[in-house]
Amino acid sequence: MAQNTYKSNTFKKPEKEKKGKAASKPKLDLSFLKDPRFKLAIGFFLMIAGVYLFLALFSFLFTWKSDFDVVHPQESTSIIESGKEIRNWLGYYGAVISDYFINRWFGISAFFIPPFLFIVGFKIVFNKELLRIFSYSIFSIFAGAWLCLLLGYMIFINEGVSEWSFLGGGFGLQLAELSESMFGWGTFLILILSLFVFIIFYFNVTAIPLFMPKDPKPMGNDAILDDDEEKVAEEPVVSEYTDEKDHWPDKKKEKAAEPVVLVKPPVEPVKPVKELKLEVEITEPVKEVKQEPEFIIEETLETDELAEKLVAEQGVYDPTLDLGSFKFPTLELLNEYDTGKAGVSQEELNQNKDKIVATLVNFKIGIQSIKATIGPTVTLYEIVPDAGIKISRIKNLEDDIALSLSALGIRIIAPIPGKGTIGIEVPNKNREMVSIRSVFASAAFSKTDKELPVAMGKTISNEVLVIDLAKMPHLLVAGATGQGKSVGLNVILASLLYKRHPSQLKFVLVDPKKVEMSLFSKIERHYLAKLPNAEEAIITDTKKVVHTLNSLCIEMENRYEILKDAGARNLKEYNAKFVARKLNPKEGHRFLPYIVLVIDELADLMMTAGKEVETPIARLAQLARAIGIHLVVATQRPSVNVITGVIKANFPARLSFRVTSKVDSRTILDSGGADQLVGQGDMLLSTGSDVIRIQCPFVDTPEIERVVEFIGSQRGYDSAYMLPEYEGDDEGGPGDVDLSDRDALFEDAARLIVMHQQGSTSLIQRKLKLGYNRAGRLIDQLEAAGIVGSFEGSKAREVLIKDEYSLEQLLTALKEKHNQF
């Protein structure tokens, strides 16, 4: 099965390798053949050449008589004078080219050539096939040769007196002369035979139903099967068994050694033992209800066979071919810093160790061992206390230890999950800066197979931590002003841009500050999603934020309907079916990209909109995971009136930079510690019970500018990814519907709703193959006509008309009321 591949990030080559290549002999540079501009030029050339050749050939059929003497002059004539006398629509060269293709070469079979040139050029330019190129090539080659021979032979046996002798072409006359000398009149039989053989193989004809028996009778197989069953019953039980160490053969050795087939080994006699009575209570077995296999199973098998056939012929569906020339951003766009190792000396480690031990001894707490792990921002000291020491006594000494170490803030982990130790995190005096380039270049990120990989940074053990946003499934980010929250969001966005193709991922960016995410507007036609008729993809107005969130809820419901029809439980299963060509695009199925909603400042939205924002965010957080919509919500004020209980309950993954108080830390993480962070990207990631300390990688604004500029300069889609249209309570509805101006498909939609007894916009979309906007207008008209009930959130509307007879009466009444017949 074909797999999508991505170009890996490139690195600078060593100087020696560069010099060696420069010293080698120059080679022919054919790199221009891979240039997408060259391919587009070739594609347009082939399309224009196909149209030009077709017009020349078609004109030849009407003008060849008058142009014959000019194209085949008895005396030499200049091209200018010849062109003045030509009647061909495309002038002198059109007449000459058509004369060669039809009169001298292929006859009317030449008409197969222009479509071939056009569809090949169309494939190169638009990456879509009007016709299957290989199938058309086989068909045109056979049909052209067959027609050449047929027409050439018809003209040959009439001694070429027909004025239409050019229809067979020069090749046709040569083939006819050769066939006459070898087969004579048998040439017609050869033509008939070759036509039948071609039809059988080209159209995969395996039988002619006209001559097949309607009800074939069994040929005595029943008796044979009965005898075989008796023979099988008499045969001993046979199994693959080896007497070597009395075990089953090793699977790894099956290929090397031939299987030994033996009868069951004899059972050795055993000594008599005391018999115990075994009371057995027999219950009647539950009778299984046998169901006849439904036709749906057969239909599924036929669909799978058709899908396998399509995959064998065309390969699996590759969504990245929509932008086949797209190139991922490279590491060279990011800054490279020479940071070296963490600047923690052995002297600093010994001093901190002595101060920790002395502080604990002063409070009569003995320890058995102490170990240090140096990280980029902090050093973790793991201690094992003496037996009988309560952990709570050590946790209460957090401020005393910080005082003795003169540290900005320490954090005590008691105990460390998975270890029998207590951890004391002490900030380093000289911190190591973690660059985003070093994180992206690591094997953990460059070789990841996660669906939505995000490089969070380096842990306390200097390991790069990469999370999968698709499994989290949503992320709540908090942090005071200036502690690295905006940089963290940029890291999340950059991670996804480096790893996912525009066809696989879309962003919905909400930026109430209006300046933080403005850089990403350059990738609108590649990665961004927006509402129809929206001027900008970056959403800054609170009212548009509410509309966008509700539009995402509609998108969520539509996707659930699509997954329901496809028989898939989540987006990954659905896309796998679509890629394997098991779903039909004509039934409304399409490849669905992941959608990541990023909100930069939730507090401002909660202050201005409140429940209008909280409700759709809570709905998306509760339900959107399975259909590939994931949320990243950030706030600099993690208070309870911003991060409400409804929102917090649906965000199991929380990320906190430094906050100003323990109350804020407990609000975001359900535990303290975020107020003890040292800032500048120092953060805590909570994924349930575990809390991990991470140093967020640093990415500067010019680096983000270079990345989005690199992506934005490439060919993108015609527009941003369009979300469903949403109309608020003050923007229309059934009350504003004029039933005298009903949609042309109003009656079809009404009959469809009544027949299925399901009043949903998505049903009208799929069955009538309409866009969401028109389907929404139809559902409003149906509500105004009294056919369906009012909007009830995620539930389908109630169908008020229960049978088709009542519906027809209502439709007739509407026609009479509005004078429509």
Side-chain angles (χ1 to χ4, degrees):
M1 180 176 292
Q3 297 181 350
N4 295 340
T5 58
Y6 301 97
K7 292 185 178 179
S8 60
N9 294 327
T10 57
F11 301 86
K12 292 184 178 179
K13 297 184 178 179
E15 293 296 330
K16 293 182 179 179
E17 186 178 349
K18 291 182 179 179
K19 291 180 181 178
K21 288 191 174 181
S24 61
K25 295 182 179 179
K27 297 182 179 179
L28 182 61
D29 185 11
L30 299 177
S31 59
F32 71 92
L33 295 176
K34 299 181 180 180
D35 190 341
R37 295 172 296 181
F38 179 77
K39 292 182 179 179
L40 283 176
I42 292 296
F44 278 115
F45 173 78
L46 291 176
M47 292 172 65
I48 298 301
V51 175
Y52 181 90
L53 182 58
F54 175 79
L55 293 175
L57 299 180
F58 189 75
S59 176
F60 178 87
L61 300 179
F62 306 98
T63 62
W64 68 274
K65 292 182 180 180
S66 59
D67 292 345
F68 187 84
D69 294 334
V70 181
V71 176
H72 300 270
Q74 300 296 328
E75 299 178 355
S76 59
T77 307
S78 65
I79 295 178
I80 297 177
E81 294 177 355
S82 301
K84 294 179 179 178
E85 301 175 5
I86 286 294
R87 299 289 299 278
N88 191 286
W89 300 344
L90 299 184
Y92 177 77
Y93 286 110
V96 172
I97 291 173
S98 59
D99 181 74
Y100 269 93
F101 273 88
I102 294 181
N103 190 38
R104 305 189 187 189
W105 291 345
F106 309 115
I108 62 170
S109 298
F111 279 93
F112 288 109
I113 299 175
F116 176 78
L117 296 176
F118 188 85
I119 62 175
V120 171
F122 191 90
K123 169 68 175 177
I124 295 174
V125 174
F126 299 104
N127 204 18
K128 292 183 180 179
E129 287 187 341
L130 294 175
L131 295 173
R132 291 180 56 196
I133 297 176
F134 179 77
S135 298
Y136 179 80
S137 302
I138 297 298
F139 177 82
S140 59
I141 290 173
F142 173 81
W146 195 85
L147 282 174
C148 278
L149 178 57
L150 175 65
L151 296 174
Y153 191 73
M154 294 291 293
I155 296 168
F156 181 81
I157 60 178
N158 288 303
E159 298 181 358
V161 295
S162 173
E163 65 174 2
W164 298 98
S165 59
F166 64 87
L167 294 179
F171 289 167
L173 291 175
Q174 293 180 11
L175 285 174
E177 184 177 357
L178 177 63
S179 180
E180 170 64 21
S181 62
M182 297 180 65
F183 305 109
W185 282 90
T187 300
F188 287 111
L189 297 178
I190 298 297
L191 287 168
I192 295 172
L193 174 63
S194 62
L195 180 62
F196 284 160
V197 171
F198 177 77
I199 291 173
I200 289 171
F201 282 94
Y202 187 80
F203 295 101
N204 196 22
V205 179
T206 57
I208 303 177
L210 180 63
F211 300 104
M212 294 184 65
K214 294 183 179 179
D215 187 16
K217 295 183 179 180
M219 303 298 291
N221 291 336
D222 295 341
I224 297 174
L225 289 175
D226 292 340
D227 293 340
D228 289 345
E229 289 175 358
E230 292 178 1
K231 291 178 182 179
V232 171
E234 296 174 359
E235 290 180 356
V237 179
V238 179
S239 61
E240 288 190 0
Y241 182 81
T242 57
D243 56 353
E244 181 182 353
K245 296 183 181 180
D246 294 335
H247 62 75
W248 295 98
D250 190 359
K251 292 183 178 180
K252 296 181 179 178
K253 299 180 180 178
E254 285 182 354
K255 294 184 179 179
E258 296 182 358
V260 181
V261 182
L262 298 174
V263 182
K264 274 188 176 179
V267 181
E268 296 181 359
V270 295
K271 294 178 182 182
V273 295
K274 183 179 180 181
E275 295 184 359
L276 296 177
K277 288 187 177 181
L278 178 65
E279 296 182 1
V280 181
E281 183 178 354
I282 303 176
T283 58
E284 294 183 2
V286 178
K287 295 182 179 180
E288 296 183 358
V289 180
K290 294 184 178 181
Q291 297 180 348
E292 295 294 329
E294 299 181 359
F295 72 93
I296 299 177
I297 300 177
E298 298 179 0
E299 183 179 348
T300 303
L301 292 176
E302 291 178 0
T303 303
D304 291 342
E305 292 176 358
L306 177 60
E308 292 176 0
K309 183 179 179 181
L310 290 173
V311 170
E313 293 177 354
Q314 305 177 14
V316 296
Y317 174 78
D318 186 0
T320 63
L321 292 179
D322 291 342
L323 294 180
S325 60
F326 179 81
K327 294 181 180 179
F328 285 89
T330 62
L331 291 182
E332 280 70 23
L333 300 171
L334 305 174
N335 295 338
E336 186 174 6
Y337 299 93
D338 186 12
T339 56
K341 296 294 181 181
V344 181
S345 62
Q346 186 64 39
E347 181 182 359
E348 182 182 347
L349 292 174
N350 292 333
Q351 288 178 356
N352 289 339
K353 180 202 70 171
D354 295 339
K355 290 177 180 179
I356 292 172
V357 173
T359 304
L360 294 176
V361 170
N362 289 338
F363 289 93
K364 298 180 181 180
I365 297 175
I367 60 174
Q368 297 179 2
S369 64
I370 184 169
K371 182 180 72 171
T373 303
I374 303 173
T377 305
V378 298
T379 299
L380 174 65
Y381 294 88
E382 296 182 56
I383 64 173
V384 178
D386 289 339
I389 300 296
K390 289 186 177 180
I391 295 177
S392 59
R393 291 182 59 192
I394 300 177
K395 291 197 68 173
N396 293 334
L397 297 177
E398 188 173 77
D399 293 337
D400 297 282
I401 296 174
L403 177 63
S404 65
L405 294 173
S406 301
L408 180 62
I410 68 168
R411 192 171 74 104
I412 294 181
I413 312 169
I416 297 177
K419 295 183 179 181
T421 59
I422 296 174
I424 302 175
E425 294 176 348
V426 181
N428 299 332
K429 292 181 180 179
N430 298 318
R431 297 174 55 179
E432 174 192 352
M433 189 187 72
V434 178
S435 66
I436 193 172
R437 176 166 179 164
S438 64
V439 173
F440 284 2
S442 65
F445 182 75
S446 61
K447 297 181 180 179
T448 183
D449 58 351
K450 293 178 170 59
E451 290 293 313
L452 295 176
V454 175
M456 300 304 298
K458 286 189 177 181
T459 64
I460 202 168
S461 57
N462 277 301
E463 296 178 353
V464 174
L465 178 65
V466 180
I467 64 170
D468 189 357
L469 184 59
K471 292 183 178 179
M472 299 195 78
H474 312 294
L475 184 61
L476 189 60
V477 184
T481 302
Q483 302 303 316
K485 179 168 55 64
S486 296
V487 173
L489 292 180
N490 286 339
V491 169
I492 293 173
L493 293 172
S495 299
L496 297 173
L497 292 177
Y498 266 76
K499 279 297 178 183
R500 283 294 163 258
H501 191 272
S503 64
Q504 301 168 332
L505 175 66
K506 301 296 175 184
F507 293 109
V508 177
L509 302 182
V510 177
D511 182 16
K513 298 179 183 177
K514 302 182 181 180
V515 294
E516 293 292 345
M517 296 184 179
S518 58
L519 295 175
F520 295 94
S521 60
K522 296 180 182 179
I523 59 173
E524 175 179 335
R525 294 187 299 110
H526 297 82
Y527 283 101
L528 300 190
K530 67 177 183 179
L531 290 172
N533 302 323
E535 295 180 1
E536 298 179 356
I538 310 294
I539 306 155
T540 57
D541 182 65
T542 304
K543 187 175 182 181
K544 292 181 180 179
V545 172
V546 175
H547 287 189
T548 302
L549 293 175
N550 284 282
S551 175
L552 280 173
C553 291
I554 297 172
E555 174 76 11
M556 175 182 70
E557 294 167 2
N558 292 343
R559 288 191 172 200
Y560 269 117
E561 290 290 339
I562 294 174
L563 262 64
K564 177 183 175 183
D565 289 347
R569 296 179 300 173
N570 52 55
L571 185 73
K572 189 174 181 180
E573 290 184 7
Y574 171 83
N575 281 340
K577 282 188 173 184
F578 191 86
V579 166
R581 302 188 185 276
K582 295 182 179 180
L583 301 175
N584 191 351
K586 295 181 179 179
E587 297 178 359
H589 294 292
R590 64 186 189 280
F591 186 86
L592 297 177
Y594 284 98
I595 298 178
V596 177
L597 168 65
V598 182
I599 300 177
D600 184 48
E601 185 50 69
L602 180 63
D604 182 74
L605 298 179
M606 293 294 290
M607 286 180 60
T608 55
K611 289 291 182 181
E612 290 182 298
V613 170
E614 181 184 0
T615 301
I617 288 179
R619 286 200 64 212
L620 291 170
Q622 289 169 349
L623 302 173
R625 172 183 182 176
I627 44 82
I629 299 179
H630 303 278
L631 280 64
V632 178
V633 179
T635 180
Q636 64 181 4
R637 197 179 64 205
S639 55
V640 292
N641 60 336
V642 175
I643 304 177
T644 62
V646 177
I647 292 179
K648 189 176 178 180
N650 294 289
F651 283 81
R654 290 89 175 266
L655 182 66
S656 178
F657 294 86
R658 187 183 181 186
V659 294
T660 55
S661 66
K662 290 185 178 180
V663 176
D664 290 346
S665 177
R666 293 187 180 278
T667 302
I668 182 67
L669 296 177
D670 292 331
S671 64
D675 56 315
Q676 298 293 335
L677 298 175
V678 296
Q680 296 181 357
D682 188 21
M683 59 187 184
L684 293 175
L685 176 64
S686 172
T687 55
S689 59
D690 295 339
V691 179
I692 307 171
R693 192 165 187 170
I694 310 169
Q695 176 59 45
C696 179
F698 175 72
V699 56
D700 203 0
T701 301
E703 297 177 81
I704 296 295
E705 286 180 347
R706 290 195 293 269
V707 171
V708 297
E709 185 67 33
F710 178 85
I711 296 174
S713 62
Q714 302 182 55
R715 184 173 69 90
Y717 296 100
D718 295 336
S719 63
Y721 183 86
M722 290 299 170
L723 298 173
E725 188 174 5
Y726 172 78
E727 293 183 352
D729 296 335
D730 57 341
E731 298 181 11
D736 300 331
V737 174
D738 183 9
L739 289 179
S740 63
D741 187 20
R742 299 190 298 275
D743 192 286
L745 294 176
F746 174 81
E747 295 188 0
D748 293 338
R751 294 186 179 97
L752 179 68
I753 291 295
V754 172
M755 182 176 65
H756 287 83
Q757 287 294 302
Q758 180 184 351
S760 67
T761 307
S762 58
L763 177 66
I764 298 176
Q765 266 186 280
R766 295 194 314 275
K767 298 298 183 181
L768 299 183
K769 299 178 181 179
L770 303 177
Y772 183 83
N773 296 340
R774 187 177 181 185
R777 287 192 292 270
L778 275 169
I779 206 75
D780 287 340
Q781 293 176 4
L782 293 172
E783 180 182 353
I787 298 174
V788 297
S790 59
F791 179 71
E792 297 181 8
S794 60
K795 295 181 180 179
R797 295 172 183 255
E798 181 186 2
V799 182
L800 304 177
I801 305 298
K802 301 302 180 183
D803 56 77
E804 296 183 6
Y805 177 75
S806 301
L807 174 64
E808 295 300 329
Q809 288 183 323
L810 177 61
L811 295 177
T812 302
L814 283 175
K815 290 180 181 179
E816 293 176 353
K817 180 179 180 181
H818 297 285
N819 296 323
Q820 294 176 350
F821 297 96

